[in-house]
Amino acid sequence: MQDNATEVTAAGIARLAGVGRAAVSNWRRRHADFPRPVGGTETSPAFALAEVEVWLRRHRKLAEVPLKERVWQQLAGHPDGPVTALVHAGCALLLIHDRPPVWLDISSGTDERLAALLPTALDEVLTPRVPGTARPGRTDRSRVNGQNPVNTQPAATPVTPATPATPATQATPATPPTPALAIPTAPRLLPSVPLLRGVAELAADRGARPTFEFLLGRHLDANPRQYTLTPPDLAGLMAALVGTPATVLDPSCGTGALLRAVADRPDRRLHAQDSSPELAALTALRLALHTRAPVHAAAGDTLRADAYPGLRADAVLCHPPFNERNWGHDDLAYDPRWEYGFPARTESELAWVQHALARLRDGGTAVLLMPPAVASRRSGRRIRADLLRRGALRAVVALPAGAAPPYSVPLHLWVLRRPDRTHAQPELLLVDAGRFTAEGRGGPDWPGVRETVLDAWGAFDRDGGVEERPGVARSVPVIELLDDDVDLTPARRLPPPTDTDGAGRLADVRARLDETLRLTAELAPPPAEPVPSAASGRLPLTTVGELARAGALVMRTGGHGGRARVPVLTDHDVLAGTAPSGTLPESEEEPVLTEPGDVVLPVLGGGAVARVVDDATAGAVLGRNLVLLRPDPAALDAWFLAGFLRGTANHRQASSYASTATRLDVRRLQLPRLAPDEQRRYGERFHALDAFERALREAGRLGEQLVRGMYDGLTDGTIAPH
């Protein structure tokens, strides 16, 4: 199986060549020798990667396909689908990571030899690392008998037995859970051999673990609507709340972000389950590459077909699906897990809460991400009341908006503990971290969130209470919460934040607004002077594409991953003129870092915007849907370039239009051919306009802040009406 079996879409061709999709469409229309589609549909055709690569080189559109792009396109165009390809790649990477000499030996011959020898080699690696992995050609008697093979624990992994349920109370699952991984057979592996060789070459440069993270990140990024991800910062906070447990369960593991964030220890054991077989398989491989701990993973509906009925874990971490109606309400009415009450059909989240408590040892801790409505819905008040009375619910934390999908909703964390003793006067910790919401679409101030939440939880867990911080944290006696509503929303139970100097703070805002308005008036451009008709002839024009080919500028596109903790300049930041505020999936992909004098343009949305990077923005990672132009200072003035690229007519002629979006082909943007001195004259004027625009934005922000502060001060009594 050769590379020419790998297909690539128009979007993939655009990424390979560093252009917009409109450019690929133009090439198809204007060049008779452009490769013909070999698959896909009329509206989304697919092309042979090898033919595309030859054509791009012949027309000098591409010097060489980078190895990581070649591997990604092989994976994305795999005949059995990208998930199968990713699983095969993960298996090979685990072999390369654990036993590199074995990989070198079996990969030294033909493709057929590699495919024939690989299943046996994978069996030797996967079986101890991912217990319960299904072996090729083996009929698993435990599965035939309706048992779950992944429940088989190694001798060194004792599990506290569960209280057996009687046949009358135990719901029989329609579909029992299955092992997350099955070792692929030689015929299944043969189409993947070219991909696996490329993956091995990439791993030799990057390492096995970063290579899998890169490929997984690209797959998740290419299918954003298929997966609900747990952001790394949130996963780290949830893991920190449970400390350093030995046995950890995630019953809705997704891509394994929560288990990956758990602190390492020599005797750690990880258990994962997900209803999606593909996510269960990817999580098993991701965790096996990340840790030496045994990874028990299963695929199946956790509530209907629990893979670990006998497990008593030290900790449970869970980001469950929200607002599910078909969670098993009709099938599980007499399930023994409902110790605190049978959840209503609309309360699937409370079913997950009780499942987590049922899988904990006495004194074990669970942390679940919850929608805020669960804290106050009337249909769940009796279960909430029983959780409080028995001391199972220990803390409710209100996160800032933007912490996790859906980003517009401020989600909650529930911290639970399986009761191991009776509390004389039980209390509930309430924390509101909403003040750490960041402006714009950027994520919250995670260091502030983490410090506030962990400090409050540490004090509460140690002392049984916490010093009250108005508007932030309070330990509330349970008796105060057991009213008709049992409303656990932190903002409704915390005293309002004290603001002893509200008037003084607003006076400072007013002074800054006065200064900004004065500066804005000074920066306002002078009256426009028309150009005499005799001098208004059209200037000779060039395009960004021509300048790039001539070496006058370098063009780069935003990435799909990057290093952790590096601020990301997003398209929203460029449009709003704000500081870098975004995040990208963590991967080892080399990010594009901005430098002073770069010109950055968004390619979606139709806005005529171009931003010159200054010292404050330099060093940020270039985000998705952005194009960076790095002009040669000897040939192009940055402000001259940015100014002409902002012309409305210029954007209109370089844009393509779809039913729901407008996309800019940056290479088609035009600017006049002018001498350096004339460029600088234009550049100075454009720079002055940019300063005026920034002052207007700042005045608007300060005005909104002053108005909101006055409303709040007048209504809460901290500001007098006269």
Side-chain angles (χ1 to χ4, degrees):
M1 180 67 64
Q2 302 300 320
D3 282 357
N4 58 11
T6 300
E7 297 178 2
V8 59
T9 64
I13 298 173
R15 187 180 294 117
L16 289 173
V19 299
R21 292 185 61 178
V24 178
S25 298
N26 288 337
W27 294 343
R28 291 184 63 196
R29 289 195 301 268
R30 294 166 55 188
H31 296 275
D33 62 338
F34 193 87
R36 300 295 180 189
V38 296
T41 64
E42 261 187 62
T43 57
S44 181
F47 307 85
L49 175 61
E51 295 178 7
V52 168
E53 183 181 348
V54 170
W55 188 89
L56 291 173
R57 284 207 189 94
R58 185 192 313 135
H59 289 266
R60 299 182 180 179
K61 308 290 186 185
L62 180 68
E64 183 65 43
V65 177
L67 176 61
K68 63 179 183 180
E69 289 297 336
R70 183 196 304 274
V71 171
W72 166 248
Q73 296 299 343
Q74 287 177 317
L75 187 147
H78 193 281
D80 292 330
V83 174
T84 297
L86 195 53
V87 170
H88 290 179
C91 290
L93 286 168
L94 187 59
L95 177 63
I96 293 168
H97 182 269
D98 283 11
R99 301 185 182 183
V102 175
W103 168 261
L104 291 175
D105 176 46
I106 66 175
S107 63
S108 59
T110 64
D111 289 358
E112 289 74 13
R113 178 176 180 271
L114 173 57
L117 296 178
L118 191 53
T120 302
L122 291 178
D123 190 8
E124 295 174 356
V125 172
L126 283 171
T127 301
R129 297 295 303 281
V130 187
T133 298
R135 298 175 177 176
R138 185 188 73 174
T139 301
D140 198 310
R141 294 185 181 275
S142 63
R143 184 176 173 186
V144 171
N145 293 333
Q147 301 172 1
N148 178 28
V150 297
N151 285 337
T152 303
Q153 304 286 339
T157 312
V159 177
T160 305
T163 303
T166 64
T169 61
Q170 180 64 50
T172 302
T175 304
T178 60
L181 281 175
I183 298 173
T185 61
R188 292 295 305 275
L189 284 169
L190 187 57
S192 299
V193 168
L195 167 66
L196 301 186
R197 293 190 186 278
V199 164
E201 187 179 353
L202 193 59
D205 179 50
R206 291 170 167 248
R209 183 185 305 157
T211 297
F212 187 74
E213 289 294 325
F214 161 70
L215 295 174
L216 176 62
R218 285 288 287 267
H219 173 67
L220 298 176
D221 191 62
N223 302 276
R225 296 184 180 180
Q226 294 184 24
Y227 307 104
T228 300
L229 305 182
T230 306
D233 289 301
L234 175 58
L237 173 60
M238 294 174 67
L241 286 168
V242 300
T244 57
T247 305
V248 191
L249 166 68
D250 185 346
S252 179
C253 63
T255 59
L258 291 174
L259 292 177
R260 187 171 176 264
V262 176
D264 202 1
R265 55 182 285 178
D267 59 342
R268 184 175 66 172
R269 298 182 300 278
L270 304 177
H271 296 75
Q273 183 172 352
D274 199 275
S275 59
S276 166
E278 64 182 52
L279 286 180
L282 295 177
T283 290
L285 290 168
R286 188 183 195 189
L287 295 175
L289 281 163
H290 179 71
T291 178
R292 300 298 304 183
V295 179
H296 303 269
D301 185 328
T302 295
L303 295 181
R304 287 190 175 92
D306 182 17
Y308 311 106
L311 180 66
R312 291 297 177 264
D314 298 315
V316 174
L317 295 170
C318 187
H319 178 174
F322 297 162
N323 303 318
E324 278 199 332
R325 295 300 180 97
N326 185 27
W327 58 268
H329 179 271
D330 296 336
D331 305 325
L332 304 172
Y334 301 103
D335 195 287
R337 288 173 291 183
W338 315 142
E339 296 181 46
Y340 302 88
F342 181 40
R345 189 184 302 275
T346 57
E347 294 287 354
S348 63
E349 296 86 2
L350 292 179
W352 286 98
V353 164
Q354 295 189 76
H355 173 82
L357 286 167
R359 294 297 160 261
L360 285 173
R361 63 166 175 80
D362 290 346
T365 303
V367 180
L368 284 82
L369 184 66
M370 308 289 276
V374 183
S376 58
R377 277 195 298 241
R378 291 191 60 81
S379 55
R381 66 187 186 279
R382 292 188 178 181
I383 294 178
R384 292 196 299 271
D386 208 27
L387 290 169
L388 291 173
R389 289 191 192 98
R390 298 171 61 179
L393 181 58
R394 307 299 295 140
V396 175
V397 177
L399 296 170
Y407 289 107
S408 59
V409 178
L411 301 175
H412 288 180
L413 289 179
W414 281 27
V415 183
L416 303 113
R417 183 160 287 164
R418 185 170 181 83
D420 56 351
R421 59 188 176 88
T422 301
H423 295 268
Q425 293 180 334
E427 295 189 348
L428 177 71
L429 174 66
L430 296 177
V431 181
D432 188 352
R435 65 193 181 105
F436 296 104
T437 302
E439 294 183 6
R441 295 194 314 184
D445 173 13
W446 279 112
V449 174
R450 186 181 177 92
E451 180 181 2
T452 299
V453 174
L454 294 183
D455 284 354
W457 170 249
F460 180 81
D461 193 34
R462 181 180 61 251
D463 305 327
V466 65
E467 183 179 350
E468 183 177 292
R469 296 177 58 189
V472 177
R474 177 192 175 201
S475 52
V476 184
V478 164
I479 193 66
E480 292 186 18
L481 302 169
L482 296 177
D483 52 20
D484 290 340
D485 296 323
V486 196
D487 190 339
L488 309 181
T489 305
R492 295 172 186 161
R493 300 288 182 174
L494 292 173
T498 57
D499 192 353
T500 57
D501 191 29
R505 180 172 51 83
L506 290 180
D508 179 63
V509 173
R510 175 59 187 265
R512 289 165 54 200
L513 178 59
D514 289 342
E515 177 63 21
T516 304
L517 290 174
R518 183 189 61 78
L519 178 63
T520 304
E522 293 178 0
L523 293 173
E529 298 180 5
V531 176
S533 57
S536 61
R538 286 181 57 84
L539 297 171
L541 299 176
T542 185
T543 65
V544 169
E546 291 172 352
L547 291 170
R549 286 191 291 272
L553 58 81
V554 174
M555 189 168 112
R556 304 290 299 276
T557 56
H560 294 261
R563 302 164 185 154
R565 305 292 183 187
V566 179
V568 176
L569 184 67
T570 68
D571 54 347
H572 181 270
D573 298 331
V574 174
L575 292 168
T578 54
S581 64
T583 58
L584 285 175
E586 182 180 347
S587 76
E588 292 300 315
E589 181 176 354
E590 191 64 28
V592 179
L593 301 180
T594 58
E595 297 179 2
D598 289 343
V599 177
V600 180
L601 302 90
V603 296
L604 292 179
V609 177
R611 177 170 174 178
V612 178
V613 175
D614 55 17
D615 292 332
T617 308
V621 175
L622 188 69
R624 291 169 288 188
N625 301 322
L626 290 176
V627 170
L628 179 146
L629 305 178
R630 183 163 294 158
D632 179 358
L636 277 175
D637 179 84
W639 285 104
F640 161 79
L641 174 64
F644 272 97
L645 296 187
R646 286 192 61 169
T648 303
N650 201 2
H651 268 248
R652 189 181 299 117
Q653 65 84 27
S655 296
S656 58
Y657 304 93
S659 58
T660 58
T662 302
R663 186 172 188 89
L664 178 68
D665 184 353
V666 175
R667 290 178 177 270
R668 292 174 55 189
L669 288 170
Q670 299 175 336
L671 63 160
R673 299 178 184 269
L674 295 178
D677 289 343
E678 191 67 14
Q679 288 184 29
R680 282 190 287 273
R681 285 181 55 200
Y682 275 100
E684 290 171 359
R685 189 66 181 272
F686 288 137
H687 196 172
L689 281 173
D690 180 79
F692 175 63
E693 184 178 34
R694 288 172 182 263
L696 284 175
R697 285 201 186 102
E698 181 64 15
R701 293 191 188 105
L702 290 171
E704 290 178 3
Q705 187 177 348
L706 180 62
V707 170
R708 173 49 51 197
M710 290 295 297
Y711 271 112
D712 290 345
L714 288 167
T715 55
D716 63 23
T718 58
I719 296 177
H722 52 274

